[in-house]
Amino acid sequence: MTSHDPVLRASDADRDRVAAVLGEALATGRLTSVEHADRLDIAYRAVTTDDLAPLTGDLLDVVAPGRESATERQQVGAVFSKVVRGGRWLAGRHTTLSATFGALIVDLSEAVLPGREITLEVNSLCGKLIVRVPENAHVIDEVSGMFAKRHVSGGRGGEGSPVIRVVGRATFGKIIVSRERTDWNLPGTP
């Protein structure tokens, strides 16, 4: 940077673009989960675009315009079965979770979230869908139900905590979104 170049402030879109490149690098094995978490933390604390540049300088910008990265969309479903997803995994910015005549249990407490806000699209048709969110998450409930049981809790997280927007519908099924670890048949449940 020369003395005449103004320092450009980083926008949320700039930070999200860097987060997408970092997420793709994690998904393709270019970064370890620790390197990804460290760089992601720096990205979301960045004030200027100069703060962001070194975070992706040694990575290919593999997110081509018009193409979604692996961190953008994911789907996890259970149809006439029971599926458990937990541990350290990379969630999508928009993740669709569905249980149809089955049970889907998803633990996000150790998942790598690709940005400050993610959307979970939850759908339960005659099934059970249970989601555990990180303890510091701010959960926004936009779930509807018809002849169903639904319980979405999460409240407000602190500053800098992830925002998880939960949208979708339960029909003749059950949807639970909570911070609590209860008898959900999660690995390591006491």
Side-chain angles (χ1 to χ4, degrees):
M1 184 170 109
T2 65
S3 59
H4 338 353
D5 293 338
V7 176
L8 297 175
R9 302 228 5 132
S11 68
D12 286 341
D14 294 330
R15 292 182 196 92
D16 286 344
R17 185 191 62 74
V18 168
V21 172
L22 295 174
E24 190 72 17
L26 175 64
T28 59
R30 286 185 169 80
L31 290 177
T32 67
S33 59
V34 172
E35 290 170 324
H36 175 263
D38 290 345
R39 290 185 189 199
L40 194 61
D41 182 53
I42 294 168
Y44 280 113
R45 286 188 288 116
V47 176
T48 68
T49 54
D50 286 347
D51 296 336
L52 293 171
L55 299 176
T56 58
D58 61 342
L59 302 171
L60 295 173
D61 191 349
V62 292
V63 182
R67 173 177 142 337
E68 289 185 342
S69 74
T71 61
E72 286 302 312
R73 292 197 171 270
Q74 283 199 16
Q75 293 184 347
V76 182
V79 179
F80 290 103
S81 59
K82 177 180 178 181
V83 175
V84 178
R85 180 76 184 258
R88 190 93 170 145
W89 61 287
L90 180 61
R93 196 175 304 277
H94 184 102
T95 300
T96 301
L97 305 173
S98 60
T100 305
F101 294 99
L104 176 61
I105 302 168
V106 177
D107 187 348
L108 291 173
S109 64
E110 294 180 35
V112 176
L113 304 179
R116 285 191 179 164
E117 181 172 336
I118 69 166
T119 299
L120 296 179
E121 182 179 335
V122 295
N123 295 295
S124 174
L125 174 62
C126 300
K128 177 169 74 171
L129 201 156
I130 300 172
V131 180
R132 181 177 182 217
V133 297
E135 289 185 23
N136 65 338
H138 172 78
V139 178
I140 300 170
D141 175 12
E142 297 177 359
V143 177
S144 65
M146 182 169 82
F147 300 111
K149 177 180 180 182
R150 76 179 217 29
H151 173 77
V152 177
S153 66
R156 296 192 157 302
E159 184 173 329
S161 62
V163 175
I164 300 176
R165 181 176 304 277
V166 186
V167 301
R169 181 180 185 99
T171 306
F172 296 105
K174 176 191 231 179
I175 293 178
I176 298 173
V177 178
S178 176
R179 288 185 174 97
E180 301 296 319
R181 178 176 277 205
T182 59
D183 184 20
W184 296 346
N185 300 318
L186 291 173
T189 300

